Amino acid sequence: MTAVEGWEDVPAEVRRRHAELAAEITDHRARYYEQDAPVVSDAEFDALMRELEGIEAEHPALVTPDSPTQRVGGAPTVLFAEVEHRERLLSLDNAMDDEELAAWAERVATELHGIDYHYLCELKVDGLAVNLTYENGQLTQAATRGDGRVGEDITANVRTIKEIPHRLKGENVPELVEIRGEVYFPTEEFDALNASFAEENERRRQENEERAREGKRPRAMIRLFMNPRNAAAGSLRQKDPHVTASRPLHMVVHGIGARVGFDIDNQSHAYRLLHDWGLPTARHNRVVGTLAEVRAFIKHFGEQRHSVEHEIDGVVVKVDEIALQGRLGATSKSPRWAIAWKYPPEEVTGRLAEIKVGIGRTGRATPYAVLAEPVKVAGSMVQYATLHNQEIVKAKDVLLGDTVVLRKAGDVIPEILGPVYDLRDGTEQAFVMPSHCPECGSELRPMAEGDIDLRCPNAERCPAQIRERIAFLGGRQCLDVEGLGYVAATALTQPLEPAEAPVRNEADIFRLTREKLLPIKVLVRDPKTGMPKLDDKTGKEKEVFFFATTKGEPKKSLQALIDNLEAAKQRPLWRFVNGLSIRHVGPVAAQALAREFRDLTKIFEASEEQLAAVEGVGPTIARSIQEWYAEEWHKEVLRNWEADGVRFTEEFADEEEAERPLEGLTVVVTGTLAGHTRDGAKEALTSRGAKVTGSVSKKTDFVVAGDNPGSKYDKAVQLGLPVLDDAGFTALLADGPSAARAHLGLPEPEEAGEAAEESVED
């Protein structure tokens, strides 16, 4: 990098670190923009860039024109011809927290003091930036961002994207316009594409085994895409446009560059113009007047970011008025009139130290990754991530010692997406699935012909399965017992030497007493690593009483658990059916069985044919129920529960509920309701006979929308479906669909049909 005056006054250590960062960032940019093969996550790249910016802020002599802080994107590749943009494409400064957002807003307010202006809020699409050039309405060129001044000519490939018009609609098309936007790969299609690649890799793996025996060279494996942005870039940079055409690429436009033949006064007005020309504009944009409203928009989509059809990594906030954008101006690389709020990263990289195997409540053996060091992702520290089963480990081509990409979307369990191939050094090793259960030693095996999953068959005595089942039984989908979470389940099911564990299995759960609970001890674990702490005096693993104080007196949690378990005996029947952890039986099937038989004993006395005839059950679940009941220790669970006072019969509040007044209705629930949790609302609907689904379609009868509804609400409005608020939902539950329609001022379906016929006759 070129030295400037004062450079020699900067400490040598700082100059060295600055040079290291500049080189590393430049390399990462090349991998990201030019090779579509990043080896670090966006969050890690942002951290490097912010460190470099911090050094340059403290030592301005290090700021040179070729510093990464003064440049945009990356240089064009040699695969495509270079294209010079008529107007430079800028990158956005980032706000990583509310303090930085407020500082930007304050700078804008100071510069525009006394002038009325508005904020335009947009979703920050995680795709590939593209510049479209239309001349006299005709698409003449499409190019990547490149370094902001020069990009790559990808016109032939962009023409294959169906929603990008080759000619603008309308009569008032401009003489010239550059249109900026993001090409993205929809999330669902991305998962499907990687799944197809994984299947092909497995086929090639098997083929290569045969090739190896014949002395032939193996076929290369297909690299899975790291994320949808990587998939969009890789699909758009194909030499063969036919490959691009085969991929489900989409685009959303978000700006205008050079233009001749028209003027615009507001960015939001420009979007309406682009929409009229037939271009794909975003549907989530919003113009607001205050910073508080900006924060509300950011909060809303932070909670709903996975309901959007494409990946988003933040919100872009712009000053809406074009003239004021010009007044605020830009730095060498970023506009001062816009900023990008970045959500906490959901993808990071880390080194895979080992793969262990956990045993679930139905005995399934699930490999999970253990990272060498905890990493922060989606706002929390993570060291473990699921790998689903041994076949997925093969399909994802993950090796021990790999640097892997880890994803945690919202509250979803962290997942390993795949390895960073370019960082392999040859020391990595393949994972070998164990043949025996890591907790009880039983041989793992498929439980049915064709099963991919391996399972531990020792359901009665395997400590892992018992622990997982008890935690599940106490959870929200079952008995919802406060105080019976995973930690408590672990404490209850571990042996008290020389005595047995207080809870040997589900049969003991309602027989807990003060005397049984007081002696229980648990290991003290380090909150950062999860490893047991050692006692300073003895050097042994440190233990503490779980339900007693250090003086041996009972904690309040002890009596609370006993009282909560007593209350749980009166829970609805379906919750007990679900809590038995019968394979294939989930909440929907459990509710169907409870409605049909209304008695736990009758469910298990029913024949396989009678069970299969229940709507929502079928032969597979019916067979599983009978197989479960054939085990003598399972019958002991039911005998103990009945003796302990568990309610085995379903009682209805009144005959109207027994008749299931919402039978035949399909309902979708979205947003936060005032009087119900999401699960509570669904349970209230299904108990009255409604079918609750997760997606909106023309067959949906009602959409119940609380505060902060997501894209399901948008689709319901688009389809013209009845949307109920809290009051409407209450009317639906209390008095049925007619009352819900009356709340909305809608006619009954028959009346609507008659009105339509009358209008046709007129």
Side-chain angles (χ1 to χ4, degrees), residues 380-448:
S380 59
M381 297 303 295
V382 169
Q383 192 167 14
Y384 307 101
T386 183
L387 282 163
H388 302 292
N389 59 51
Q390 69 278 7
E391 298 303 320
I392 293 293
V393 178
K394 289 181 184 178
K396 292 190 174 184
D397 196 23
V398 173
L399 303 178
L400 300 174
D402 265 333
T403 295
V404 295
V405 180
L406 179 97
R407 177 178 176 82
K408 182 175 183 284
D411 294 327
V412 177
I413 297 170
E415 176 185 12
I416 297 295
L417 297 181
V420 182
Y421 291 99
D422 290 348
L423 293 183
R424 282 184 173 171
D425 59 12
T427 62
E428 297 80 12
Q429 297 180 335
F431 164 70
V432 178
M433 186 72 177
S435 58
H436 290 75
C437 174
E439 296 214 29
C440 73
S442 301
E443 185 175 2
L444 301 175
R445 58 181 174 84
M447 298 304 284

